Amino acid sequence: MLKTRARAATAVCRCGWSSARVHGRYVRQLRDVAVGGLGVVIELCIRRFRCENPACPAVTFAEQIVGLTTPHSRQTPLLRAVLTRIGLALAGRAGARMASAVGITVGRDTLLRLVRALPEPEVGQVEVLGVDDFAFRKGRHYGTVLIDMSTHRPLHLYDGREGEGLAGWLRDHPEVKVICRDRSSGYAEGARIGAPQAEQVADRYHLWANLGQAVEKTVNSHRSRLAEQPSELAAAADEPQVVQPSIELKVVTRLRPGRPRSARSRPGCRCVSCRRSSRRDRACHSRGGR
């Protein structure tokens, strides 16, 4: 917080008279732009003077410091300009978040109020005018927007999509040479009545829309032919197909070699199988000897 006071001996009333008669004093707090991410508050001692002009309706008035104070404001002109720019760029909620990030606490309603308080810019000379509709509530309530196509800046808004409002605006601006509009018959009639000297053209969006609708209409009219096969494919389908014999695959089975039953017994082995084999061998020899 910074504390300061004015040192001027006199102050000027809104009627133009200066006065040096001090009526009283009070403390006024002004918010300024943040420094190092911290908010700054200026505590200023303000004096009230008596106006010496007998014809002035104000008996007393508060002194104003040029570049620091404005009547009935709690913000410096610098902070007010910064918040106005943020409001123009980001509007309410997003602008409030951006201001908080740089150390300025402000509400979304304050930003919108600053934007609405800006004076409307002069329209000037408009040679190419854009006309289109927009929805206040889609499917129920619509309005019309007029745009300067040279600067892409909105010029005027009015309720409804009838041609009377457009014709009335065009009568006040006879310098319009080209009107870029949509396919609404109301806009066409309003442009013809309000600016008969202007040339009416379709904008780029509606040109592409017309082209898309024409292509869709053509494709739908020939949809039955899309399912038909071409003549070459139909002739090829009538020819008999040559069936190729399938290749026979030879399956080779590998058997695990086992032990033959007539194998001789191993010498010196006393297992049951070897003893049975030795008995059979002795029996065969005895029979052969006989």
Side-chain angles (χ1 to χ4, degrees):
M1 179 178 292
L2 302 178
K3 296 183 179 181
T4 184
R5 64 184 180 89
R7 297 180 179 273
T10 61
V12 180
C13 181
R14 58 186 179 183
C15 66
W17 283 48
S18 61
S19 175
R21 297 177 57 185
V22 179
H23 174 71
R25 293 177 174 82
Y26 69 95
V27 177
R28 183 177 180 181
Q29 291 186 351
L30 300 172
R31 294 176 56 201
D32 201 2
V33 293
V35 176
L38 300 176
V40 176
V41 178
I42 300 175
E43 192 175 272
L44 183 62
C45 182
I46 298 294
R47 296 171 294 178
R48 295 192 66 88
F49 291 84
R50 290 185 178 272
C51 184
E52 298 180 355
N53 183 9
C56 181
V59 179
T60 63
F61 64 93
E63 61 180 344
Q64 303 294 334
I65 302 175
V66 179
L68 185 62
T69 62
T70 54
H72 311 290
S73 178
R74 297 182 179 180
Q75 301 167 347
T76 62
L78 179 59
L79 177 60
R80 188 181 183 90
V82 171
L83 294 178
T84 302
R85 289 182 175 272
I86 293 177
L88 285 173
L90 301 175
R93 294 183 179 180
R97 291 194 295 267
M98 175 59 70
S100 177
V102 297
I104 303 174
T105 303
V106 66
R108 58 180 183 179
D109 295 332
T110 302
L111 293 177
L112 296 178
R113 186 169 56 251
L114 291 175
V115 172
R116 295 191 187 101
L118 291 175
E120 295 185 2
E122 297 182 359
V123 175
Q125 299 292 326
V126 180
E127 295 185 355
V128 183
L129 178 68
V131 183
D132 204 351
D133 58 350
F134 67 96
F136 289 105
R137 188 174 182 183
K138 191 172 181 180
R140 296 189 178 184
H141 188 193
Y142 288 88
T144 300
V145 57
L146 305 180
I147 301 175
D148 186 358
M149 301 303 293
S150 300
T151 59
H152 301 283
R153 184 169 58 89
L155 301 175
H156 184 66
L157 298 174
Y158 67 88
D159 192 7
R161 294 185 288 185
E162 292 76 17
E164 290 80 3
L166 176 60
W169 191 91
L170 289 174
R171 292 191 188 98
D172 299 335
H173 298 82
E175 72 277 1
V176 177
K177 298 180 180 179
V178 180
I179 300 177
C180 183
R181 62 173 182 83
D182 64 359
R183 298 169 294 173
S184 174
S185 58
Y187 293 153
E189 185 67 17
R192 186 185 63 81
I193 296 174
Q197 79 284 355
E199 180 182 1
Q200 301 184 33
V201 299
D203 57 10
R204 181 168 49 187
Y205 168 78
H206 291 94
L207 288 177
W208 281 108
N210 292 341
L211 177 60
Q213 291 180 1
V215 172
E216 183 179 1
K217 183 178 179 180
T218 304
V219 171
N220 289 334
S221 61
H222 297 83
R223 183 177 295 275
S224 59
R225 298 185 180 181
L226 297 177
E228 298 178 358
Q229 295 183 356
S231 58
E232 297 179 357
L233 296 179
D238 295 338
E239 296 179 359
Q241 297 181 359
V242 179
V243 179
Q244 298 291 339
S246 59
I247 302 176
E248 297 182 359
L249 300 178
K250 296 182 179 180
V251 181
V252 179
T253 305
R254 295 184 179 180
L255 301 178
R256 182 178 179 182
R259 181 178 179 182
R261 292 184 177 182
S262 60
R264 294 182 176 273
S265 61
R266 291 175 292 180
C269 183
R270 303 299 297 173
C271 65
V272 176
S273 128
C274 291
R275 283 184 290 177
R276 290 178 180 175
S277 298
S278 60
R279 292 174 184 171
R280 286 195 298 267
D281 293 342
R282 286 196 297 270
C284 290
H285 286 301
S286 60
R287 291 176 185 172
R290 291 180 186 175

